[in-house]
Amino acid sequence: MNKTIHRAESRGYADHGWLQTHHTFSFANYYDPRRVHFGALRVLNDDTVAPGEGFGTHPHDNMEIVSIALEGALRHGDSMGNMKVLRPGEIQVMSAGTGITHSEMNASETEPVKFLQIWVLTDAQDHTPRYNQVELAPAKRNVPHVIVAPEGRGGEHVGWVHQDAWFYTLDLDKDRVVEYRMNTRGHGAYVFVIEGSVEAAGEELGPRDGMGITGADEFPIKGETDAKVLIIEVPMEV
């Protein structure tokens, strides 16, 4: 088993006034040649956007983009005509494919919005652009809860991407141990702690710490406190 730990305080950080953002991997003005990607996982940004502010219309292509709302409400608009508001309990999945433009704005004039923006490398170039917003099914505590899967392998309340990638949330009780098992041999898993503290594969991880794990078919995650964890399983050869 190989493990690469990224502590919360080691992430790239930018304060734009209207936006406070932490970058687990190289992004925008933050560049670290050791932290460009983890297999097919290219971007993991932890964003807080001020009331009434946001990302104006901008382009993307050939990337699978997943947004997970943590607090507040995020207003999405795109060149395909979609106008949606994303809230906690929902995820947004977008295949940029041959090219799209979109905007992401705080839908509130009084409260900040906090969300995770995640990019996964696509399995092929020039897919037809696609947008989907999914209301997640209720999660059971101490059980990995799938929220994103490869095309055709999820379900009604699961987003899908053009890649053999799986996203799970895990709401973990203190002292409970859960074994995470890879869906595909040779994949890696990136464990990101949203809240609380855990011991993952023998390593202590606190809030917003992340760790990439390769060379294992399964590994344990133990709650050091009550915790919420995001697990992103991706191919390592891309």
Side-chain angles (χ1 to χ4, degrees), residues 153-204:
R153 299 180 66 184
E156 181 182 358
H157 296 284
V158 178
W160 65 267
V161 290
H162 291 293
Q163 184 55 273
D164 187 15
W166 300 80
F167 289 41
Y168 294 85
T169 56
L170 174 60
D171 295 314
L172 194 58
D173 291 333
K174 185 178 186 295
D175 295 327
R176 287 293 297 268
V177 179
V178 171
E179 289 285 334
Y180 180 79
R181 294 177 174 83
M182 300 288 187
N183 291 277
T184 303
R185 183 177 291 274
H187 273 190
Y190 196 86
V191 178
F192 182 75
V193 181
I194 297 174
E195 299 173 3
S197 299
V198 303
E199 180 185 286
E203 304 291 343
E204 300 285 339

Short mmCIF file of all heavy atoms in Angstrom, two decimals, residues 153-204:
data_model
loop_
_atom_site.label_atom_id
_atom_site.label_comp_id
_atom_site.label_asym_id
_atom_site.label_seq_id
_atom_site.Cartn_x
_atom_site.Cartn_y
_atom_site.Cartn_z
N ARG A 153 -23.92 2.71 -14.19
CA ARG A 153 -23.63 1.85 -13.04
C ARG A 153 -24.08 2.47 -11.71
O ARG A 153 -23.76 1.96 -10.65
CB ARG A 153 -22.14 1.53 -12.99
CG ARG A 153 -21.67 0.78 -14.23
CD ARG A 153 -20.20 0.48 -14.19
NE ARG A 153 -19.87 -0.47 -13.13
CZ ARG A 153 -18.62 -0.84 -12.83
NH1 ARG A 153 -17.60 -0.32 -13.50
NH2 ARG A 153 -18.40 -1.71 -11.86
N GLY A 154 -24.84 3.55 -11.79
CA GLY A 154 -25.30 4.20 -10.58
C GLY A 154 -26.76 3.88 -10.31
O GLY A 154 -27.14 2.77 -10.02
N GLY A 155 -27.59 4.88 -10.42
CA GLY A 155 -29.02 4.71 -10.18
C GLY A 155 -29.69 6.06 -10.24
O GLY A 155 -29.09 7.07 -10.63
N GLU A 156 -30.95 6.09 -9.83
CA GLU A 156 -31.76 7.30 -9.96
C GLU A 156 -31.18 8.47 -9.18
O GLU A 156 -31.25 9.61 -9.62
CB GLU A 156 -33.18 7.01 -9.47
CG GLU A 156 -34.13 8.20 -9.59
CD GLU A 156 -35.51 7.89 -9.06
OE1 GLU A 156 -35.74 6.72 -8.65
OE2 GLU A 156 -36.35 8.81 -9.05
N HIS A 157 -30.59 8.21 -8.03
CA HIS A 157 -30.09 9.29 -7.17
C HIS A 157 -28.57 9.34 -7.17
O HIS A 157 -27.96 9.76 -6.17
CB HIS A 157 -30.62 9.10 -5.75
CG HIS A 157 -32.12 9.21 -5.65
ND1 HIS A 157 -32.77 10.43 -5.70
CD2 HIS A 157 -33.08 8.26 -5.54
CE1 HIS A 157 -34.07 10.21 -5.60
NE2 HIS A 157 -34.28 8.92 -5.51
N VAL A 158 -27.96 8.94 -8.27
CA VAL A 158 -26.51 8.92 -8.40
C VAL A 158 -26.12 9.63 -9.69
O VAL A 158 -26.68 9.36 -10.75
CB VAL A 158 -25.98 7.47 -8.42
CG1 VAL A 158 -24.46 7.45 -8.60
CG2 VAL A 158 -26.36 6.74 -7.13
N GLY A 159 -25.17 10.57 -9.61
CA GLY A 159 -24.66 11.20 -10.82
C GLY A 159 -23.73 10.25 -11.56
O GLY A 159 -23.23 9.28 -10.99
N TRP A 160 -23.48 10.54 -12.85
CA TRP A 160 -22.55 9.69 -13.59
C TRP A 160 -21.59 10.54 -14.41
O TRP A 160 -21.88 11.67 -14.77
CB TRP A 160 -23.28 8.67 -14.47
CG TRP A 160 -24.12 9.22 -15.59
CD1 TRP A 160 -25.45 9.52 -15.55
CD2 TRP A 160 -23.69 9.52 -16.92
NE1 TRP A 160 -25.88 9.99 -16.77
CE2 TRP A 160 -24.82 10.00 -17.64
CE3 TRP A 160 -22.46 9.43 -17.59
CZ2 TRP A 160 -24.74 10.39 -18.98
CZ3 TRP A 160 -22.39 9.82 -18.92
CH2 TRP A 160 -23.52 10.29 -19.61
N VAL A 161 -20.41 9.95 -14.67
CA VAL A 161 -19.36 10.63 -15.40
C VAL A 161 -18.81 9.72 -16.49
O VAL A 161 -18.96 8.49 -16.44
CB VAL A 161 -18.21 11.07 -14.47
CG1 VAL A 161 -18.64 12.20 -13.56
CG2 VAL A 161 -17.67 9.88 -13.67
N HIS A 162 -18.16 10.34 -17.48
CA HIS A 162 -17.47 9.60 -18.54
C HIS A 162 -16.08 9.19 -18.04
O HIS A 162 -15.06 9.69 -18.50
CB HIS A 162 -17.34 10.46 -19.80
CG HIS A 162 -18.62 10.74 -20.51
ND1 HIS A 162 -19.36 9.75 -21.14
CD2 HIS A 162 -19.30 11.90 -20.71
CE1 HIS A 162 -20.44 10.30 -21.70
NE2 HIS A 162 -20.43 11.59 -21.44
N GLN A 163 -16.07 8.31 -17.08
CA GLN A 163 -14.82 7.80 -16.51
C GLN A 163 -15.17 6.67 -15.54
O GLN A 163 -16.26 6.65 -14.97
CB GLN A 163 -14.06 8.91 -15.79
CG GLN A 163 -12.70 8.55 -15.23
CD GLN A 163 -11.77 7.95 -16.27
OE1 GLN A 163 -11.79 6.73 -16.50
NE2 GLN A 163 -10.97 8.80 -16.93
N ASP A 164 -14.23 5.74 -15.35
CA ASP A 164 -14.45 4.66 -14.38
C ASP A 164 -14.09 5.20 -13.00
O ASP A 164 -13.12 4.78 -12.36
CB ASP A 164 -13.58 3.45 -14.75
CG ASP A 164 -13.88 2.23 -13.89
OD1 ASP A 164 -14.93 2.24 -13.21
OD2 ASP A 164 -13.06 1.29 -13.88
N ALA A 165 -14.90 6.16 -12.54
CA ALA A 165 -14.67 6.85 -11.27
C ALA A 165 -15.90 6.72 -10.38
O ALA A 165 -17.04 6.73 -10.86
CB ALA A 165 -14.35 8.32 -11.52
N TRP A 166 -15.64 6.61 -9.08
CA TRP A 166 -16.69 6.46 -8.09
C TRP A 166 -16.47 7.47 -6.97
O TRP A 166 -15.35 7.61 -6.47
CB TRP A 166 -16.66 5.06 -7.49
CG TRP A 166 -16.86 3.95 -8.47
CD1 TRP A 166 -15.93 3.42 -9.32
CD2 TRP A 166 -18.07 3.24 -8.71
NE1 TRP A 166 -16.49 2.42 -10.08
CE2 TRP A 166 -17.80 2.28 -9.73
CE3 TRP A 166 -19.35 3.30 -8.18
CZ2 TRP A 166 -18.76 1.40 -10.21
CZ3 TRP A 166 -20.32 2.42 -8.64
CH2 TRP A 166 -20.02 1.49 -9.65
N PHE A 167 -17.55 8.17 -6.58
CA PHE A 167 -17.50 9.07 -5.43
C PHE A 167 -18.43 8.52 -4.36
O PHE A 167 -19.58 8.14 -4.64
CB PHE A 167 -18.03 10.47 -5.79
CG PHE A 167 -17.16 11.30 -6.69
CD1 PHE A 167 -16.50 10.76 -7.77
CD2 PHE A 167 -17.05 12.66 -6.47
CE1 PHE A 167 -15.72 11.53 -8.61
CE2 PHE A 167 -16.28 13.46 -7.29
CZ PHE A 167 -15.61 12.90 -8.37
N TYR A 168 -17.95 8.50 -3.12
CA TYR A 168 -18.77 8.09 -1.98
C TYR A 168 -18.66 9.13 -0.87
O TYR A 168 -17.58 9.72 -0.66
CB TYR A 168 -18.28 6.76 -1.38
CG TYR A 168 -18.42 5.56 -2.27
CD1 TYR A 168 -17.45 5.25 -3.22
CD2 TYR A 168 -19.51 4.70 -2.16
CE1 TYR A 168 -17.56 4.14 -4.04
CE2 TYR A 168 -19.64 3.58 -2.97
CZ TYR A 168 -18.66 3.31 -3.90
OH TYR A 168 -18.77 2.20 -4.71
N THR A 169 -19.75 9.35 -0.15
CA THR A 169 -19.67 10.02 1.14
C THR A 169 -19.79 8.96 2.23
O THR A 169 -20.40 7.90 2.03
CB THR A 169 -20.77 11.08 1.31
OG1 THR A 169 -22.05 10.48 1.13
CG2 THR A 169 -20.58 12.21 0.31
N LEU A 170 -19.21 9.26 3.37
CA LEU A 170 -19.27 8.34 4.51
C LEU A 170 -19.48 9.16 5.77
O LEU A 170 -18.62 9.94 6.16
CB LEU A 170 -17.97 7.53 4.60
CG LEU A 170 -17.81 6.62 5.82
CD1 LEU A 170 -18.92 5.57 5.88
CD2 LEU A 170 -16.43 5.94 5.81
N ASP A 171 -20.65 9.00 6.39
CA ASP A 171 -20.95 9.62 7.68
C ASP A 171 -20.61 8.60 8.76
O ASP A 171 -21.29 7.57 8.90
CB ASP A 171 -22.42 10.02 7.76
CG ASP A 171 -22.77 11.11 6.76
OD1 ASP A 171 -22.01 12.08 6.67
OD2 ASP A 171 -23.79 10.98 6.07
N LEU A 172 -19.55 8.88 9.49
CA LEU A 172 -18.93 7.88 10.36
C LEU A 172 -19.08 8.27 11.82
O LEU A 172 -18.81 9.41 12.20
CB LEU A 172 -17.45 7.77 9.98
CG LEU A 172 -16.63 6.59 10.49
CD1 LEU A 172 -17.23 5.27 10.04
CD2 LEU A 172 -15.19 6.71 9.99
N ASP A 173 -19.49 7.31 12.64
CA ASP A 173 -19.58 7.53 14.08
C ASP A 173 -18.21 7.31 14.74
O ASP A 173 -17.39 6.52 14.25
CB ASP A 173 -20.58 6.55 14.71
CG ASP A 173 -22.02 6.84 14.31
OD1 ASP A 173 -22.32 8.01 14.00
OD2 ASP A 173 -22.82 5.89 14.31
N LYS A 174 -18.00 7.99 15.83
CA LYS A 174 -16.77 7.82 16.61
C LYS A 174 -16.58 6.35 16.97
O LYS A 174 -17.52 5.66 17.39
CB LYS A 174 -16.83 8.67 17.88
CG LYS A 174 -15.56 8.65 18.72
CD LYS A 174 -15.72 9.55 19.92
CE LYS A 174 -14.41 9.67 20.71
NZ LYS A 174 -14.01 8.37 21.30
N ASP A 175 -15.37 5.86 16.73
CA ASP A 175 -14.92 4.50 17.05
C ASP A 175 -15.46 3.43 16.10
O ASP A 175 -15.10 2.26 16.25
CB ASP A 175 -15.28 4.11 18.50
CG ASP A 175 -14.53 4.96 19.51
OD1 ASP A 175 -13.38 5.35 19.22
OD2 ASP A 175 -15.09 5.23 20.59
N ARG A 176 -16.28 3.79 15.14
CA ARG A 176 -16.72 2.81 14.15
C ARG A 176 -15.66 2.65 13.08
O ARG A 176 -15.00 3.61 12.68
CB ARG A 176 -18.04 3.23 13.50
CG ARG A 176 -19.24 3.08 14.41
CD ARG A 176 -19.56 1.62 14.73
NE ARG A 176 -19.92 0.86 13.55
CZ ARG A 176 -21.18 0.70 13.13
NH1 ARG A 176 -22.18 1.28 13.77
NH2 ARG A 176 -21.44 -0.02 12.06
N VAL A 177 -15.51 1.42 12.59
CA VAL A 177 -14.55 1.11 11.54
C VAL A 177 -15.31 0.60 10.32
O VAL A 177 -16.15 -0.29 10.43
CB VAL A 177 -13.53 0.05 11.99
CG1 VAL A 177 -12.55 -0.27 10.86
CG2 VAL A 177 -12.76 0.54 13.22
N VAL A 178 -15.00 1.18 9.16
CA VAL A 178 -15.61 0.78 7.89
C VAL A 178 -14.50 0.38 6.94
O VAL A 178 -13.49 1.08 6.82
CB VAL A 178 -16.46 1.92 7.29
CG1 VAL A 178 -16.92 1.59 5.87
CG2 VAL A 178 -17.66 2.21 8.19
N GLU A 179 -14.66 -0.74 6.26
CA GLU A 179 -13.70 -1.17 5.24
C GLU A 179 -14.15 -0.63 3.88
O GLU A 179 -15.28 -0.89 3.46
CB GLU A 179 -13.62 -2.69 5.18
CG GLU A 179 -12.94 -3.33 6.38
CD GLU A 179 -11.43 -3.15 6.36
OE1 GLU A 179 -10.86 -2.99 5.26
OE2 GLU A 179 -10.83 -3.18 7.46
N TYR A 180 -13.27 0.12 3.23
CA TYR A 180 -13.57 0.55 1.87
C TYR A 180 -12.93 -0.42 0.90
O TYR A 180 -11.72 -0.68 0.98
CB TYR A 180 -13.07 1.96 1.58
CG TYR A 180 -13.41 2.38 0.16
CD1 TYR A 180 -14.70 2.80 -0.14
CD2 TYR A 180 -12.49 2.26 -0.87
CE1 TYR A 180 -15.05 3.11 -1.44
CE2 TYR A 180 -12.83 2.58 -2.17
CZ TYR A 180 -14.11 3.00 -2.45
OH TYR A 180 -14.46 3.30 -3.75
N ARG A 181 -13.72 -0.94 -0.05
CA ARG A 181 -13.23 -1.90 -1.05
C ARG A 181 -13.29 -1.27 -2.43
O ARG A 181 -14.32 -0.74 -2.83
CB ARG A 181 -14.05 -3.19 -1.01
CG ARG A 181 -13.89 -3.96 0.29
CD ARG A 181 -14.77 -5.20 0.35
NE ARG A 181 -14.50 -5.98 1.54
CZ ARG A 181 -15.02 -5.75 2.74
NH1 ARG A 181 -15.85 -4.72 2.90
NH2 ARG A 181 -14.70 -6.49 3.77
N MET A 182 -12.18 -1.33 -3.15
CA MET A 182 -12.12 -0.76 -4.50
C MET A 182 -13.09 -1.49 -5.43
O MET A 182 -13.28 -2.70 -5.35
CB MET A 182 -10.71 -0.89 -5.06
CG MET A 182 -9.63 -0.19 -4.27
SD MET A 182 -9.70 1.60 -4.43
CE MET A 182 -8.16 2.02 -3.55
N ASN A 183 -13.70 -0.72 -6.32
CA ASN A 183 -14.57 -1.31 -7.33
C ASN A 183 -13.77 -2.00 -8.43
O ASN A 183 -14.25 -2.96 -9.03
CB ASN A 183 -15.45 -0.22 -7.95
CG ASN A 183 -16.48 0.31 -6.99
OD1 ASN A 183 -17.53 -0.28 -6.81
ND2 ASN A 183 -16.18 1.43 -6.33
N THR A 184 -12.57 -1.49 -8.71
CA THR A 184 -11.75 -2.00 -9.80
C THR A 184 -10.31 -2.18 -9.31
O THR A 184 -9.74 -1.25 -8.73
CB THR A 184 -11.76 -1.05 -11.01
OG1 THR A 184 -13.11 -0.84 -11.43
CG2 THR A 184 -10.95 -1.61 -12.16
N ARG A 185 -9.74 -3.36 -9.54
CA ARG A 185 -8.35 -3.61 -9.14
C ARG A 185 -7.43 -2.63 -9.87
O ARG A 185 -7.59 -2.37 -11.06
CB ARG A 185 -7.97 -5.04 -9.48
CG ARG A 185 -6.54 -5.42 -9.04
CD ARG A 185 -6.27 -6.89 -9.35
NE ARG A 185 -7.06 -7.76 -8.50
CZ ARG A 185 -6.68 -8.15 -7.28
NH1 ARG A 185 -5.52 -7.74 -6.79
NH2 ARG A 185 -7.44 -8.96 -6.57
N GLY A 186 -6.47 -2.10 -9.15
CA GLY A 186 -5.53 -1.14 -9.72
C GLY A 186 -5.94 0.30 -9.57
O GLY A 186 -5.14 1.21 -9.87
N HIS A 187 -7.17 0.54 -9.15
CA HIS A 187 -7.60 1.91 -8.89
C HIS A 187 -6.90 2.47 -7.64
O HIS A 187 -6.38 1.73 -6.81
CB HIS A 187 -9.11 1.96 -8.65
CG HIS A 187 -9.90 2.10 -9.90
ND1 HIS A 187 -11.24 2.37 -9.90
CD2 HIS A 187 -9.55 2.00 -11.21
CE1 HIS A 187 -11.69 2.44 -11.15
NE2 HIS A 187 -10.68 2.21 -11.96
N GLY A 188 -6.94 3.79 -7.51
CA GLY A 188 -6.54 4.46 -6.29
C GLY A 188 -7.74 5.14 -5.67
O GLY A 188 -8.75 5.39 -6.35
N ALA A 189 -7.65 5.44 -4.38
CA ALA A 189 -8.73 6.14 -3.68
C ALA A 189 -8.17 7.37 -3.00
O ALA A 189 -7.11 7.30 -2.35
CB ALA A 189 -9.41 5.24 -2.66
N TYR A 190 -8.86 8.49 -3.16
CA TYR A 190 -8.48 9.72 -2.47
C TYR A 190 -9.50 9.97 -1.37
O TYR A 190 -10.70 10.11 -1.64
CB TYR A 190 -8.41 10.91 -3.43
CG TYR A 190 -7.65 12.07 -2.82
CD1 TYR A 190 -6.27 12.13 -2.92
CD2 TYR A 190 -8.31 13.06 -2.10
CE1 TYR A 190 -5.55 13.16 -2.33
CE2 TYR A 190 -7.60 14.10 -1.51
CZ TYR A 190 -6.22 14.13 -1.63
OH TYR A 190 -5.51 15.14 -1.04
N VAL A 191 -9.02 10.01 -0.12
CA VAL A 191 -9.87 10.22 1.05
C VAL A 191 -9.75 11.68 1.48
O VAL A 191 -8.64 12.16 1.76
CB VAL A 191 -9.44 9.29 2.20
CG1 VAL A 191 -10.29 9.55 3.44
CG2 VAL A 191 -9.53 7.82 1.78
N PHE A 192 -10.87 12.39 1.52
CA PHE A 192 -10.88 13.80 1.90
C PHE A 192 -11.85 13.97 3.08
O PHE A 192 -13.03 13.62 2.97
CB PHE A 192 -11.33 14.66 0.72
CG PHE A 192 -11.32 16.14 0.99
CD1 PHE A 192 -10.13 16.85 1.03
CD2 PHE A 192 -12.51 16.82 1.19
CE1 PHE A 192 -10.12 18.22 1.27
CE2 PHE A 192 -12.51 18.19 1.42
CZ PHE A 192 -11.31 18.89 1.47
N VAL A 193 -11.34 14.49 4.19
CA VAL A 193 -12.16 14.63 5.39
C VAL A 193 -12.86 15.98 5.35
O VAL A 193 -12.22 17.03 5.39
CB VAL A 193 -11.30 14.51 6.66
CG1 VAL A 193 -12.19 14.63 7.91
CG2 VAL A 193 -10.54 13.19 6.68
N ILE A 194 -14.17 15.95 5.28
CA ILE A 194 -14.96 17.18 5.26
C ILE A 194 -15.15 17.72 6.67
O ILE A 194 -14.97 18.92 6.92
CB ILE A 194 -16.32 16.93 4.58
CG1 ILE A 194 -16.10 16.52 3.12
CG2 ILE A 194 -17.21 18.18 4.65
CD1 ILE A 194 -17.38 16.10 2.41
N GLU A 195 -15.49 16.84 7.60
CA GLU A 195 -15.69 17.23 8.99
C GLU A 195 -15.15 16.14 9.90
O GLU A 195 -15.19 14.95 9.57
CB GLU A 195 -17.19 17.43 9.30
CG GLU A 195 -17.88 18.51 8.49
CD GLU A 195 -19.38 18.52 8.73
OE1 GLU A 195 -19.86 17.71 9.57
OE2 GLU A 195 -20.07 19.32 8.09
N GLY A 196 -14.67 16.54 11.08
CA GLY A 196 -14.22 15.57 12.08
C GLY A 196 -12.83 15.03 11.79
O GLY A 196 -12.07 15.59 11.00
N SER A 197 -12.50 13.93 12.46
CA SER A 197 -11.19 13.30 12.33
C SER A 197 -11.35 11.80 12.19
O SER A 197 -12.24 11.20 12.81
CB SER A 197 -10.32 13.61 13.56
OG SER A 197 -10.12 15.00 13.70
N VAL A 198 -10.47 11.20 11.38
CA VAL A 198 -10.52 9.76 11.15
C VAL A 198 -9.10 9.20 11.17
O VAL A 198 -8.11 9.92 11.09
CB VAL A 198 -11.19 9.41 9.80
CG1 VAL A 198 -12.59 9.99 9.71
CG2 VAL A 198 -10.33 9.88 8.62
N GLU A 199 -9.04 7.88 11.27
CA GLU A 199 -7.82 7.14 10.99
C GLU A 199 -8.09 6.32 9.74
O GLU A 199 -8.93 5.42 9.75
CB GLU A 199 -7.44 6.22 12.14
CG GLU A 199 -6.17 5.43 11.90
CD GLU A 199 -5.88 4.43 13.00
OE1 GLU A 199 -5.45 4.86 14.09
OE2 GLU A 199 -6.12 3.22 12.78
N ALA A 200 -7.40 6.66 8.64
CA ALA A 200 -7.62 5.97 7.37
C ALA A 200 -6.34 5.24 7.00
O ALA A 200 -5.26 5.86 6.92
CB ALA A 200 -7.99 6.97 6.27
N ALA A 201 -6.45 3.94 6.80
CA ALA A 201 -5.28 3.11 6.45
C ALA A 201 -4.12 3.37 7.41
O ALA A 201 -2.97 3.43 7.01
CB ALA A 201 -4.86 3.38 5.01
N GLY A 202 -4.45 3.55 8.70
CA GLY A 202 -3.43 3.73 9.72
C GLY A 202 -2.91 5.13 9.89
O GLY A 202 -2.03 5.37 10.72
N GLU A 203 -3.46 6.11 9.15
CA GLU A 203 -2.99 7.50 9.21
C GLU A 203 -4.08 8.39 9.81
O GLU A 203 -5.25 8.28 9.47
CB GLU A 203 -2.62 8.01 7.82
CG GLU A 203 -1.59 7.17 7.09
CD GLU A 203 -0.21 7.24 7.70
OE1 GLU A 203 0.04 8.19 8.50
OE2 GLU A 203 0.62 6.38 7.39
N GLU A 204 -3.66 9.31 10.68
CA GLU A 204 -4.58 10.26 11.29
C GLU A 204 -4.85 11.41 10.34
O GLU A 204 -3.92 12.07 9.86
CB GLU A 204 -3.99 10.79 12.59
CG GLU A 204 -3.70 9.74 13.65
CD GLU A 204 -4.96 9.24 14.32
OE1 GLU A 204 -5.99 9.96 14.28
OE2 GLU A 204 -4.92 8.14 14.90
#
